[in-house]
């Protein structure tokens, strides 16, 4: 075990190094090597609600050198950090940028319903307009998905204001306001520059109902709605079709207004992570306002921030594993330490049948029950019904159901095969004393707390976190802890404890002379359900222009981070188990971490 301890120390140091490198390097990228000041803001809105945002202020901004300013907004179930491609690239080009948390998201105040003014976009616009270094004649807004819808709401509010503030609006993966209340084509954007990022494979927008049929988003540019937008709200019938990626201008009340639709072959969530989509945002605001610092739109560095954030995420997982291993070498937790590294158990011919059969049956079950559960457990509600977070509710119910099914399979395996062949529950670590069970729970809480301390350290000192695309560990306030405790934590724990017991106590065997092969196979099978569902949905979408399950578009999108989480947590649990012969410890650690990830990166109803 001395070798295990030494290796854990080395890997713990590497993990700390990765996290420190991540936060420093990501900070350098997002601050443009220190030429952009990053501020973490909280402010009280005119509605008496608190909002949160990251403010990026380029050097040289002052009352004598007012700069064009962009307010960016994430979409539903996201947070301000999801706009990193936009705030990095726009701020390095000399724009002041505010990346806001919508109400009920991130660190902004939770509200009972998100709609109309309660998205907070116009409140953010009004706040930045009071800053001395903001050019109030050049304020632009852009939002992704619900952020785009809130941009439309902000335009309506701005139209009704005595002194309009918004000069440009770019709707990212969200439809424009095409018609008025009577169904006639209209132009609510007026003299403003207005643009749309219309993803060709958008799961939520860019369609039009014609007769009884809905068009495919791949045909969006052919629709009258899109053409009317490019023709400044007039009926496009009989006109020459206007093209994508082309700026069109027209005199509107003496102002040379512009319109554009960008139409890349990407999906709705892909827009967060697309060089072309980011270039379109850059080009739009450069055309609308002229960037203070001229940098070609293809010259982008946000990908480096994502790379450094990813290194931090890897370091985060490595730290949790190796810190847990080292803690069992302390005097208090020494009873949780294995006498020697747990070796794989011999795989017999009959055992191989149980091994492969259980993996296949569990994967098929998880695949088949996902959509029925997600579509019947209020996973996408517009209120706190039945719980304040709808997305973790559905996912955790699915996790718990699959966890219970795994427990049933393990019981059948043990009593019909293992016990008859001399396998003892104590030998595989399934039985545990009350004293060690309590120590296991305490150690899991300590490991998660110390590991997450690095996330808060990164947030406090560097304004960064650890993430890749839609999978993120981020700082949160105390309310997220209370929200997490019930019902999400118990439900996630059912799955992750069962997953760890199945992975280690039942499926750790001599499948190959190379032990890592068994780990890879078990980890791969854990991700079969999300992989199959995503493949069916998107292969159908990309080949036909229509999704396999259009009514389940949101819950299928939620599978992207799960596709990574399930195999990763399987590998983490195996690493800890080999040093402890305790399948419950890694299950508890994974369950708590995933609950915090889920509940800190979504929408919370007030």
């Amino acid at each position: 075990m001395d070798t295990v301890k030494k290796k854990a120390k080395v890997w713990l140091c590497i993990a700390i190094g990765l996290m420190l490198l991540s936060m420093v390097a990501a900070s350098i990228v997002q601050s443009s090597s220190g030429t952009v000041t990053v501020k973490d803001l909280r402010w009280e809105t005119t509605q008496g609600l608190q909002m949160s945002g990251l403010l990026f202020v380029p050097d040289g901004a002052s009352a004598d050198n007012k700069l064009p300013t962009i307010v960016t907004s994430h979409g539903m179930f996201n947070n301000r950090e999801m706009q990193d491609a936009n705030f990095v690239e726009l701020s390095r080009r000399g724009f002041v940028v505010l990346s806001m948390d919508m109400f009920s998201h991130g660190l902004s105040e939770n509200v009972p319903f998100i709609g109309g003014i309660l998205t907070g976009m116009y409140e953010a616009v009004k706040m930045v307009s009071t800053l001395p270094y903001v050019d109030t004649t050049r304020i632009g807004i852009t939002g992704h998905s619900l952020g785009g819808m809130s941009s439309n709401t902000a335009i309506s509010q701005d139209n009704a204001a005595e002194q309009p503030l918004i000069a440009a609006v770019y709707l990212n993966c969200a439809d424009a306001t095409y018609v008025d209340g009577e169904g006639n084509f209209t132009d609510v954007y007026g003299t403003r520059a207005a643009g749309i990022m219309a993803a060709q494979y958008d799961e939520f927008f860019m369609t039009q109902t014609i007769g009884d049929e809905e068009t495919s988003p791949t045909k969006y540019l052919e629709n009258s709605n899109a053409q009317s937008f490019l023709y400044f709200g007039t009926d496009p019938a009989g006109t020459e079709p206007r093209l994508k990626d082309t700026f069109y201008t027209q005199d509107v009340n003496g102002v040379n207004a512009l319109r554009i639709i960008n139409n890349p072959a990407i999906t709705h969530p892909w827009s967060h992570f697309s060089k072309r989509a980011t270039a379109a945002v850059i080009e739009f605001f450069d055309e609308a306002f002229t960037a203070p610092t001229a940098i070609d739109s293809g010259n982008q560095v946000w990908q480096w921030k994502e790379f450094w954030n990813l290194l931090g995420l890897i370091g985060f997982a490595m730290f949790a594993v190796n810190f847990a291993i080292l803690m069992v070498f302390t005097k208090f937790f020494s009873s949780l330490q294995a006498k020697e590294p747990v070796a794989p158990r011999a795989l017999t011919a009959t055992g191989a049948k149980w091994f492969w059969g259980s993996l296949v049956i569990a994967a098929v079950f998880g695949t088949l029950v996902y959509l029925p559960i997600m579509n019947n457990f209020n996973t996408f509600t517009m209120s706190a019904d039945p719980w304040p977070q709808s997305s973790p509710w559905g996912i955790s119910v699915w996790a718990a159901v699959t966890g219970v099914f795994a427990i049933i399979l393990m019981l059948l395996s043990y009593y019909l095969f293992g016990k008859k062949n001399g396998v003892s529950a104590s030998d595989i670590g399934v039985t545990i004393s009350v004293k060690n069970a309590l120590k296991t729970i305490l150690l899991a809480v300590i490991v998660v707390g110390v590991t997450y301390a690095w996330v808060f350290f990164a947030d406090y000192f560097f304004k960064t976190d650890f993430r890749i695309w839609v999978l993120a560990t981020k700082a949160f306030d105390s309310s997220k802890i209370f929200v997490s405790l019930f019902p999400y934590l118990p439900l996630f724990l059912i799955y992750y404890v069962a997953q760890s017991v199945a992975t280690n106590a039942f499926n750790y065997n001599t499948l190959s002379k190379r032990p890592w092969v068994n780990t890879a196979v078990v980890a791969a099978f854990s991700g079969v359900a999300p992989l199959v569902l995503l493949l069916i949905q998107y292969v159908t979408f990309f080949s036909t222009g229509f999704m396999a399950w259009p009514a389940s578009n949101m819950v299928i999108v939620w599978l992207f981070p799960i596709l990574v989480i399930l195999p990763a947590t399987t590998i983490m649990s195996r690493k800890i188990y080999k040093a402890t012969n305790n399948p419950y410890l890694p299950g508890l650690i994974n369950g708590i971490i995933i609950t915090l990830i889920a509940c800190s990166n979504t929408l919370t109803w007030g």
Side-chain angles (χ1 to χ4, degrees):
M1 293 301 288
D2 286 342
T3 301
V4 173
K5 185 177 180 180
K6 289 178 181 178
K7 286 184 177 179
K9 286 182 177 179
V10 171
W11 284 110
L12 188 74
C13 291
I14 292 173
I16 293 172
L18 288 177
M19 289 188 290
L20 290 172
L21 177 61
S22 167
M23 58 185 79
V24 171
S27 175
I28 290 172
V29 174
Q30 74 177 14
S31 67
S32 295
S33 299
T35 62
V36 173
T37 300
V38 184
K39 301 180 180 181
D40 188 352
L41 300 187
R42 307 288 186 277
W43 73 94
E44 194 81 359
T45 69
T46 59
Q47 301 154 317
L49 299 169
Q50 178 180 279
M51 285 196 74
S52 154
L54 288 173
L55 183 68
F56 298 80
V57 185
D59 284 355
S62 67
D64 296 323
N65 182 35
K66 296 178 183 291
L67 299 177
T69 299
I70 313 300
V71 176
T72 73
S73 175
H74 57 83
M76 201 170 196
F77 305 110
N78 293 142
N79 47 61
R80 62 192 189 180
E81 288 83 5
M82 284 290 287
Q83 285 289 300
D84 59 356
N86 287 337
F87 63 60
V88 166
E89 296 305 331
L90 291 172
S91 64
R92 69 188 284 251
R93 286 166 172 80
F95 293 95
V96 174
V97 183
L98 174 67
S99 184
M100 55 172 272
D101 274 329
M102 280 193 286
F103 292 124
S104 286
H105 293 79
L107 298 170
S108 287
E109 190 166 339
N110 300 332
V111 296
F113 174 76
I114 291 184
I117 60 174
L118 286 184
T119 56
M121 173 66 85
Y122 202 54
E123 291 295 330
V125 169
K126 287 190 287 186
M127 190 280 290
V128 297
S129 73
T130 65
L131 300 178
Y133 44 78
V134 167
D135 182 349
T136 56
T137 67
R138 292 188 292 169
I139 295 177
I141 59 175
T142 180
H144 180 267
S145 194
L146 180 62
M149 297 168 68
S150 68
S151 296
N152 281 326
T153 299
I155 292 297
S156 296
Q157 294 173 269
D158 201 45
N159 286 341
E162 183 176 343
Q163 182 62 51
L165 296 170
I166 302 171
V169 53
Y170 191 80
L171 308 172
N172 198 329
C173 292
D175 279 303
T177 300
Y178 305 110
V179 297
D180 60 21
E182 298 179 354
N184 299 315
F185 289 115
T186 188
D187 180 20
V188 300
Y189 306 101
T191 60
R192 303 177 183 90
I196 302 173
M197 168 57 62
Q200 290 183 28
Y201 299 99
D202 196 298
E203 297 92 332
F204 305 96
F205 298 96
M206 309 308 153
T207 64
Q208 184 173 344
T209 301
I210 300 177
D212 296 328
E213 296 185 359
E214 189 172 70
T215 64
S216 166
T218 60
K219 305 296 183 183
Y220 173 71
L221 261 296
E222 301 174 13
N223 293 340
S224 58
N225 280 346
Q227 289 298 314
S228 173
F229 176 83
L230 292 176
Y231 274 101
F232 293 79
T234 60
D235 189 338
T239 60
E240 183 74 18
R242 289 190 164 177
L243 307 176
K244 66 178 180 179
D245 304 329
T246 304
F247 285 104
Y248 294 97
T249 59
Q250 180 173 304
D251 183 281
V252 178
N253 297 328
V255 176
N256 195 36
L258 67 84
R259 302 288 182 267
I260 188 174
I261 293 177
N262 301 107
N263 191 219
I266 60 175
T267 65
H268 185 91
W270 191 353
S271 183
H272 290 294
F273 212 69
S274 164
K275 181 176 182 179
R276 182 66 196 95
T278 305
V281 173
I282 295 168
E283 291 162 5
F284 174 80
F285 285 112
D286 188 25
E287 185 74 18
F289 295 148
T290 305
T293 303
I295 302 175
D296 184 83
S297 64
N299 181 344
Q300 300 179 21
V301 300
W302 64 270
Q303 297 93 334
W304 282 106
K305 178 179 180 296
E306 292 286 347
F307 172 76
W308 298 121
N309 288 152
L310 173 59
L311 280 189
L313 187 61
I314 294 171
F316 175 90
M318 288 171 53
F319 183 91
V321 169
N322 291 284
F323 183 70
I325 292 173
L326 287 176
M327 285 296 291
V328 302
F329 286 92
T330 62
K331 182 177 180 180
F332 182 80
F333 292 110
S334 60
S335 60
L336 302 181
Q337 178 191 144
K339 295 180 181 179
E340 58 185 31
V342 181
R345 289 167 284 278
L347 184 65
T348 64
T350 305
K353 293 178 181 178
W354 278 97
F355 172 73
W356 290 108
S358 63
L359 289 180
V360 171
I361 292 171
V364 170
F365 179 81
T367 304
L368 293 178
V369 301
Y370 180 77
L371 288 179
I373 289 174
M374 297 301 289
N375 291 330
N376 288 281
F377 274 82
N378 291 330
T379 58
F380 186 52
T381 61
M382 296 305 289
S383 64
D385 177 25
W387 306 105
Q389 294 185 341
S390 58
S391 55
W393 166 233
I395 296 293
S396 62
V397 169
W398 174 64
V401 169
T402 55
V404 170
F405 186 75
I407 293 171
I408 294 172
L409 287 179
M410 287 186 282
L411 289 172
L412 291 173
S413 174
Y414 180 71
Y415 286 106
L416 296 181
F417 169 70
K419 192 174 183 180
K420 292 180 179 180
N421 288 272
V423 176
S424 167
S426 60
D427 290 341
I428 58 178
V430 173
T431 58
I432 186 172
S433 68
V434 173
K435 181 179 179 180
N436 280 345
L438 294 175
K439 284 188 176 182
T440 297
I441 295 170
L442 176 61
L443 180 54
V445 173
I446 291 173
V447 169
V448 174
V450 174
T451 305
Y452 250 96
W454 287 100
V455 178
F456 285 86
F457 182 88
D459 175 75
Y460 185 82
F461 287 102
F462 298 96
K463 305 296 184 292
T464 64
D465 56 19
F466 308 137
R467 66 174 54 231
I468 181 68
W469 194 24
V470 292
L471 175 57
T473 58
K474 69 182 299 295
F476 48 82
D477 58 29
S478 60
S479 68
K480 297 299 188 298
I481 296 178
F482 295 118
V483 166
S484 300
L485 291 177
F486 190 83
Y488 315 110
L489 179 59
L491 293 172
F492 276 123
L493 285 177
I494 291 173
Y495 172 79
Y496 283 101
V497 172
Q499 177 210 45
S500 183
V501 174
T503 295
N504 301 304
F506 285 83
N507 291 328
Y508 185 31
N509 54 50
T510 55
L511 181 63
S512 167
K513 293 181 180 179
R514 299 177 177 85
W516 64 264
V517 173
N518 172 273
T519 304
V521 168
V522 176
F525 266 91
S526 71
V528 165
L531 178 62
V532 168
L533 292 168
L534 285 166
L535 284 175
I536 293 173
Q537 180 82 316
Y538 286 97
V539 168
T540 303
F541 199 9
F542 294 152
S543 59
T544 69
F546 295 92
M547 291 172 283
W549 299 293
S552 302
N553 49 3
M554 180 66 79
V555 300
I556 294 293
V557 165
W558 288 342
L559 287 172
F560 281 109
I562 294 172
L563 180 62
V564 177
I565 287 171
L566 296 185
T569 51
T570 301
I571 295 170
M572 291 170 65
S573 72
R574 173 63 58 79
K575 293 288 186 182
I576 297 173
Y577 174 76
K578 288 170 66 177
T580 63
N581 197 33
N582 181 339
Y584 303 108
L585 176 60
L588 290 170
I589 291 171
N590 284 332
I592 298 171
I593 287 176
I594 298 308
T595 302
L596 292 175
I597 288 175
C599 293
S600 61
N601 285 281
T602 190
L603 180 157
T604 307
W605 299 111

